[in-house]
Each structure stands twice: as structure tokens, then as C-alpha cells.
Amino acid sequence: MSKILNEVLLANRDYVAGFDKADLAMPPARQFAILTCMDARLDPAKYAGLSEGDAHVVRNAGGRASDDAIRSLVISYKLLGTKEWFVIHHTDCGMETFSNEIMTDLCASSLETASVDASGWHDHGAGPGSTEAKYINWLTIKNQAESVLEDVNRIKAHPLVPANIPVYGYVYDVKSGSLIEVPEATAAGRAS
Amino acid sequence: MSKILNEVLLANRDYVAGFDKADLAMPPARQFAILTCMDARLDPAKYAGLSEGDAHVVRNAGGRASDDAIRSLVISYKLLGTKEWFVIHHTDCGMETFSNEIMTDLCASSLETASVDASGWHDHGAGPGSTEAKYINWLTIKNQAESVLEDVNRIKAHPLVPANIPVYGYVYDVKSGSLIEVPEATAAGRAS
């Protein structure tokens, strides 16, 4: 067994020993959801004050409003009753450190076979029906406030998202732990 | 300001007051990543023993190996050096409570406009190039061990995923807090 796997299972044993959350209901008690980055330095439960059972947390590279993040948020609303959503990107994000071109180079040999395959992988960037196989949109970030605004706008404009859901836009500062509002994004997120 | 937004910002103020994580590096210190569900009852930092800076955490509805989750994991490996991945679904998952058909009904009026639009939304289920616009794959779950195995297999078979990354498959039990191994998935995840 790997060192990491062993450590995770030992930590889980400790968690189980003190576990007192058996009676939590499936729908988030505080009826909200957070979309944020997978970055290891971010702990949304800590930076936003969540206990188990409080809120849905969706995370991916960048905290981007990808189709899959929107799938998750729509399920969060339609089936599990969340009524407010946060989009929280962060300073010093890895998604600012590279470009689609760099990533394409890094993946060059693999990408020879990565267009449309049996497992359903395809090319978000080029769009459905495209025959350009080599371009994947890695959803990189140039400016945090702009990426938050772009994602709030994408969520609000999405045909499956109800107009009455407020979406708040924030940037988490990894040097201070602070949530910094992106006022244009929060304003856009409130508009119906 | 909404009650929830106010509570989140107050909790964040407390977090900032005790913040001592300013010196964490961007790459995950313990070089692993967890893909798990957005479910409010799950706190991966607690159930797997993570401190800020330790590991990437990717979350979506179901903890599924969607294209976007794989985008995130590939970035996690290629740019930020993770070397082991976990796929962790859980008991009593919301994704077991409905079907694609139910969700399609719930979204029926919105779906009239939800095929291929300017924002890039399209239909995962029908695949690229399809003209069937009404079918979205919500990635529902019928059996937790099977969904874990399916996702580990999808990750391992993916053309952008290196063969040497171990992928461990587990189910989190919301009644006990325990991580339960899916042996077939972990075995599949170790194979190169």
C-alpha cells in the first residue's frame, strides 16, 4: 500500500472515531452552493464557514463554469434546493501559469488519439461537430476578476439556470485567506 | 445583503483573523488528488485528513469522471505534479434518486433552447456532431461500486492520462464517515 493511501485511511479512521454526522439530510441545510478551484491551498469549508451538511461544493481546475459545473449546479437547484450560488476563483492560480498552447504541447503525443473516442472524450473548444481534433479548451485564466465575471455571466445566461438565482463573484486571496468581492460579477449575478 | 452572503463573509473574517497559511506553495505538498461528490455532507479535508496545501480536490455532482474532471486531473498531474488519484463516491447519493428522463422532464421548458448555443453548451450524451439536442447525460448513478469502477476505468483508459498513475476507488459511507474500498476499482486503477 502506498504511503499516501495508508495516511488517508488512517486519517479516515480517526474521523470515523469521532463521527457524529449520521443524521444529516441529503439536501444542503443552508441551501447554497460554491463553485471554486481544486487548488490544494483552498479549503472552502474553512474559508466560508461550512459544516458537513451545509452547502454543495463544486470544484475543478480554476473553479470555472464548465458544462460539467453547470450540470452540477442545475442538479443542486432542481433536485436539492439550493437558492444562492458563489463563484470563487483565487490569486496565484495555476490556471494563470500556462496557455492552451503550452498544454497542447505538453499533451502532444497523447493528443494524437484524444479527439473523439469510444469513452466520449471530445473537444470542448472546437465545439460539437468540429473535425478539429487537437484543440482542447483548458479554461485558463488571464485575470481573476475577469474570469469570475465571465463565469458568473455564463451561468446567468445559461438556458438551464433559473433567472432568480443570485450568483456572487469573489476572489480568494491565498496570502490572507480573504474573500474579495468582484463587484461587477456580483452585480451581474443578481440581475435576472 | 442576503443572510447567507453575510454569514459567509463573517465566517471568512474569522478565518482571516487566524490565517497562517500565507507561505503554502501552489503544487500540492502531498502530491495527490481526490475526485469526489459535491454532496454537502462530504468534507474531503476532514474525511481524508487534508490540511490546506496538501492535495487537489475536484468535486461535481456524483464525483463522476466527466470530461471536465479529467481536464482538471490532467492539469493536476502535468502542471502540478500529483502522482496518485482517488475516486470517491458515496452512499445515499442524490445521483441515485433520479434518471436522465426525470431530469429532462424537470428541465423540459429550458431544454427547448439548450442544445448548441453561443456560450458553448452542448450535449455530452449524444456526442459531438449529433443533431439530437434534447438529451443531456446527467451522469446518474445506479450502484455506487459500479459507478466508482466505471469512473476509474474511464480515467485509466483516457488518452491524456499517463498509465503509471494509481487510481484508488472508494465509497464514503455518510452514516459512519468511513471510506470503503471498491477492490475491483482499486485493482483496475493500479493496472497500467
Side-chain angles (χ1 to χ4, degrees), chain A:
Chain A
M1 183 182 296
S2 87
K3 176 170 170 289
I4 287 294
L5 179 54
N6 190 46
E7 288 171 0
V8 165
L9 296 179
L10 286 175
N12 181 249
R13 192 183 301 175
D14 288 345
Y15 184 62
V16 170
F19 192 76
D20 59 359
K21 311 285 182 187
D23 295 329
L24 294 174
M26 184 192 294
R30 293 172 63 200
Q31 300 188 310
F32 72 104
I34 293 177
L35 168 60
T36 196
C37 184
M38 70 177 178
D39 191 285
R41 294 164 295 180
L42 276 55
D43 186 336
K46 288 187 180 168
Y47 77 55
L50 310 180
S51 295
E52 290 98 318
D54 278 357
H56 283 144
V57 181
V58 179
R59 301 180 68 172
N60 62 34
R64 302 309 307 266
S66 60
D67 287 357
D68 194 55
I70 291 176
R71 172 185 71 87
S72 301
L73 292 171
V74 171
I75 288 169
S76 174
Y77 164 79
K78 295 255 183 197
L79 293 169
L80 293 162
T82 63
K83 295 181 162 51
E84 299 169 81
W85 297 342
F86 291 76
V87 173
I88 305 179
H89 297 174
H90 64 99
T91 60
D92 193 37
C93 184
M95 303 302 287
E96 298 169 279
T97 63
F98 69 100
S99 64
N100 273 336
E101 291 69 28
I102 288 170
M103 199 66 190
T104 302
D105 286 349
L106 274 175
C107 295
S109 60
S110 332
L111 276 170
E112 296 297 326
T113 58
S115 56
V116 182
D117 66 10
S119 70
W121 175 262
H122 55 265
D123 176 346
H124 289 287
S130 168
T131 53
E132 296 167 36
K134 300 281 176 65
Y135 184 78
I136 289 169
N137 189 344
W138 294 93
L139 304 175
T140 58
I141 290 175
K142 282 188 186 150
N143 174 292
Q144 294 134 11
E146 284 173 18
S147 64
V148 169
L149 177 58
E150 180 184 330
D151 284 1
V152 168
N153 280 332
R154 179 162 201 247
I155 290 168
K156 290 297 289 187
H158 196 280
L160 292 181
V161 171
N164 61 342
I165 294 238
V167 186
Y168 314 121
Y170 281 79
V171 172
Y172 173 86
D173 177 5
V174 297
K175 293 298 180 197
S176 70
S178 182
L179 290 174
I180 301 159
E181 190 181 18
V182 180
E184 312 89 301
T186 293
R190 289 178 199 277
S192 65

Side-chain angles (χ1 to χ4, degrees), chain B residues 68-89:
Chain B
D68 194 55
I70 290 176
R71 171 185 71 86
S72 301
L73 291 171
V74 170
I75 289 169
S76 174
Y77 165 79
K78 294 257 184 196
L79 293 168
L80 293 162
T82 63
K83 294 180 162 53
E84 298 169 82
W85 297 342
F86 291 75
V87 173
I88 304 178
H89 297 175

Side-chain angles (χ1 to χ4, degrees), chain B residues 44-68:
Chain B
K46 288 186 180 168
Y47 76 54
L50 310 179
S51 295
E52 291 99 317
D54 277 357
H56 282 145
V57 181
V58 179
R59 301 179 69 173
N60 62 32
R64 303 308 309 265
S66 61
D67 287 359
D68 194 55

